[in-house]
């Protein structure tokens, strides 16, 4: 068994037992394909801040290479990458508690991605639901589908496996990709020797499910073309209030929490519950009108986002500080990933023991 796997007692192809003094390693990332939203914050980032960075050896990454799989403006990707990193810090990720970095600053992601391409099959790539959906949208608007859109799940697998990740907190839309990562890790270990920890997808005990305010059957997304139903973390308070007060409601009488039949009201109650640490069904009992509910939701969202916006303004005024955090994060990430990736190269017959890479 390799030294990399020896740190976590276990066998190739199975789930390895966490080491590091009992702390699991967690990896998660955010794509800079748009401005971060209330959904990103309540559904993931806030949990990273309050739980993951304290209980685990956690790495949080702006996965900017994934943003290149579709048509993009290079300057916008760079701008949004910095903004996303600054917002993660503004939300409360502490570089003394976790590792925050930008994916493209650590070469090991791309080095390992090619080995994952050599481990995966064409059929596995084409079965990915997100590939089918994104490719169909691209073709519908007359664009061409980039090869990287097909193969990016292998890059995602490399993101995870490079760090000996135990747990990957994900939503429903990414579960298939984590399962692919598990399959690739098992296959690699069986073919070439125990090299990778086999990670597992984890679902938080309580996850805020924030839907679009204008289309409560669709998740609030940062890359949606229409933004009237999306609350962005950096929206001004009045813009937040306007979007919430104009939120779509449902036919029917009274304020009741019924996600299937009353999705608009249920979404507002979910947001209010997430912002106030309440229960949506109980909260519904306190309202006789949609207007009163919307007003309270708007107030709660504005207050929840206020400290994030204020801290982001401070960080935006000190870009050198953010750069130093990201540089240090990338250095630590590289130190963690390089031994495992070098071992994977040797296992596949293209690396040479004792011949290191320049920093």
């Amino acid at each position: 068994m390799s030294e990399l796997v020896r740190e976590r007692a276990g066998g190739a192809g199975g789930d390895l037992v966490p080491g590091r003094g009992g702390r699991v390693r967690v990896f998660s990332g955010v794509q800079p394909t748009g401005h971060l939203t209330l959904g990103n914050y309540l559904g993931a980032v806030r949990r990273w801040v309050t739980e993951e960075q304290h209980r685990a050896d956690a790495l949080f990454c702006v996965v900017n290479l994934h943003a290149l799989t579709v048509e993009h403006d290079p300057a916008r990707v760079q701008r949004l990458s910095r903004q996303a990193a600054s917002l993660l810090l503004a939300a409360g990720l502490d570089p003394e508690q976790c590792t925050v970095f930008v994916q493209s600053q650590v070469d090991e992601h791309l080095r390992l991605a090619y080995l994952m391409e050599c481990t995966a099959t064409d059929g596995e790539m084409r079965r990915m639901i997100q590939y089918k959906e994104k490719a169909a949208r691209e073709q519908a608007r007359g664009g061409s589908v980039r090869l990287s859109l097909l193969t990016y799940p292998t890059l995602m697998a490399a993101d995870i496996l490079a760090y000996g990740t135990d747990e990957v907190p994900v939503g429903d839309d990414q579960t298939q990709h984590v399962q692919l990562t598990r399959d690739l890790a098992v296959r690699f270990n069986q073919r070439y020797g125990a090299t990778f920890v086999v990670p597992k997808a984890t679902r938080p005990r309580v996850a805020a499910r924030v839907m679009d305010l204008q289309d409560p059957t669709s998740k609030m997304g940062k890359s949606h073309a229409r933004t009237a139903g999306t609350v962005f973390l950096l929206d001004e308070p009045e813009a937040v209030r306007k979007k919430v007060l104009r939120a779509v409601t449902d036919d029917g009488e009274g304020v009741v929490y019924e996600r299937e039949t009353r999705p608009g009201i249920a979404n507002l109650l979910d947001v209010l519950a997430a912002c106030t640490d309440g229960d949506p069904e109980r909260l519904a009992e306190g309202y006789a009108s949609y207007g009163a509910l919307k007003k309270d939701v708007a107030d709660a969202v504005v207050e929840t986002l206020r400290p994030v916006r204020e801290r982001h303004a401070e960080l935006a005024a000190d870009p050198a500080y953010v750069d130093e955090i990201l540089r240090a994060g990338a250095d630590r990430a590289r130190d963690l990933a390089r031994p495992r990736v070098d071992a994977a190269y040797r296992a596949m017959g293209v690396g040479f023991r004792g011949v290191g890479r320049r920093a």
Side-chain angles (χ1 to χ4, degrees):
M1 184 179 294
S2 71
E3 289 302 316
L4 290 168
V5 178
R6 195 184 305 279
E7 68 178 273
R8 340 271 287 286
D15 290 301
L16 304 183
V17 178
R20 308 179 189 89
R23 298 188 87 197
V24 299
R25 180 162 290 161
V26 169
F27 177 93
S28 198
V30 59
Q31 288 194 43
T33 51
H35 300 282
L36 295 188
T37 72
L38 178 68
N40 298 133
Y41 179 70
L42 296 179
V45 175
R46 188 172 63 171
R47 187 181 69 256
W48 298 351
V49 170
T50 59
E51 297 181 24
E52 306 293 1
Q53 69 172 337
H54 301 292
R55 75 170 184 88
D57 180 11
L59 297 99
F60 301 108
C61 180
V62 178
V63 286
N64 57 339
L65 294 172
H66 291 285
L68 310 187
T69 60
V70 294
E71 190 67 30
H72 66 280
D73 173 10
R76 185 171 186 268
V77 169
Q78 189 163 43
R79 183 174 67 254
L80 289 178
S81 296
R82 169 174 285 279
Q83 183 187 92
S86 297
L87 279 169
L88 293 181
L89 296 172
L93 288 184
D94 182 353
E96 297 296 323
Q97 297 287 334
C98 64
T99 303
V100 182
F101 67 105
V102 176
Q103 179 189 32
S104 62
Q105 295 181 333
V106 180
D107 292 346
E108 277 61 34
H109 290 255
L110 287 177
R111 290 182 63 215
L112 185 55
Y114 182 69
L115 299 193
M116 292 298 101
E117 286 186 10
C118 295
T119 306
T121 67
D122 176 76
E124 285 174 318
M125 297 297 96
R126 296 187 186 279
R127 286 195 293 271
M128 293 291 107
I129 295 172
Q130 285 204 359
Y131 168 72
K132 294 178 181 179
E133 293 176 347
K134 290 183 179 180
R137 286 199 298 268
E138 193 68 21
Q139 291 169 336
R141 71 181 189 87
S144 57
V145 179
R146 300 187 178 191
L147 178 61
S148 57
L149 184 61
L150 176 66
T151 61
Y152 95 89
T154 59
L155 175 57
M156 182 175 175
D159 296 338
I160 297 167
L161 296 179
Y163 298 101
T165 302
D166 300 294
E167 298 179 4
V168 188
V170 292
D172 291 335
D173 58 340
Q174 293 294 336
T175 301
Q176 187 185 33
H177 288 149
V178 178
Q179 184 56 54
L180 173 69
T181 301
R182 289 174 55 83
D183 293 343
L184 295 180
V186 169
R187 188 178 306 154
F188 190 102
N189 288 345
Q190 290 175 340
R191 289 179 178 175
Y192 307 112
T195 305
F196 296 116
V197 174
V198 181
K200 65 179 181 180
T202 59
R203 301 297 301 275
R205 295 184 301 277
V206 179
R209 185 185 183 192
V210 181
M211 312 302 280
D212 190 284
L213 295 175
Q214 292 297 314
D215 179 11
T217 62
S218 300
K219 188 173 72 171
M220 185 180 286
K222 59 181 178 293
S223 56
H224 288 182
R226 297 178 61 187
T227 61
T230 302
V231 174
F232 298 104
L233 297 190
L234 295 180
D235 276 347
E236 294 292 336
E238 286 311 305
V240 172
R241 294 182 190 281
K242 183 179 294 186
K243 289 178 179 180
V244 174
L245 293 176
R246 292 180 177 178
V248 168
T249 51
D250 317 285
D251 295 332
E253 297 183 1
V255 176
V256 293
Y257 185 76
E258 295 178 358
R259 178 168 287 282
E260 296 300 321
T261 59
R262 309 283 294 278
I265 293 299
N267 188 38
L268 290 171
L269 289 166
D270 279 335
V271 171
L272 182 60
C275 290
T276 62
D277 196 26
D279 176 84
E281 293 188 13
R282 291 186 177 181
L283 287 171
E285 298 171 359
Y287 293 95
S289 69
Y290 295 165
L293 172 62
K294 287 183 175 182
K295 180 182 181 302
D296 283 357
V297 172
D299 289 343
V301 172
V302 168
E303 185 57 28
T304 296
L305 297 185
R306 179 186 55 76
V308 178
R309 293 181 63 255
E310 291 177 352
R311 178 56 178 154
H312 179 267
E314 295 173 358
L315 292 172
D318 191 1
Y321 173 72
V322 176
D323 287 344
E324 181 56 34
I325 289 175
L326 296 179
R327 187 178 303 111
D331 287 345
R332 178 172 188 266
R334 191 178 303 111
D335 289 344
L336 289 173
R338 181 168 293 178
R340 183 170 276 100
V341 175
D342 285 348
Y345 267 72
R346 291 194 297 271
M348 288 195 81
V350 291
F352 296 89
R353 191 175 300 278
V355 179
R357 298 179 67 252
R358 292 180 180 177

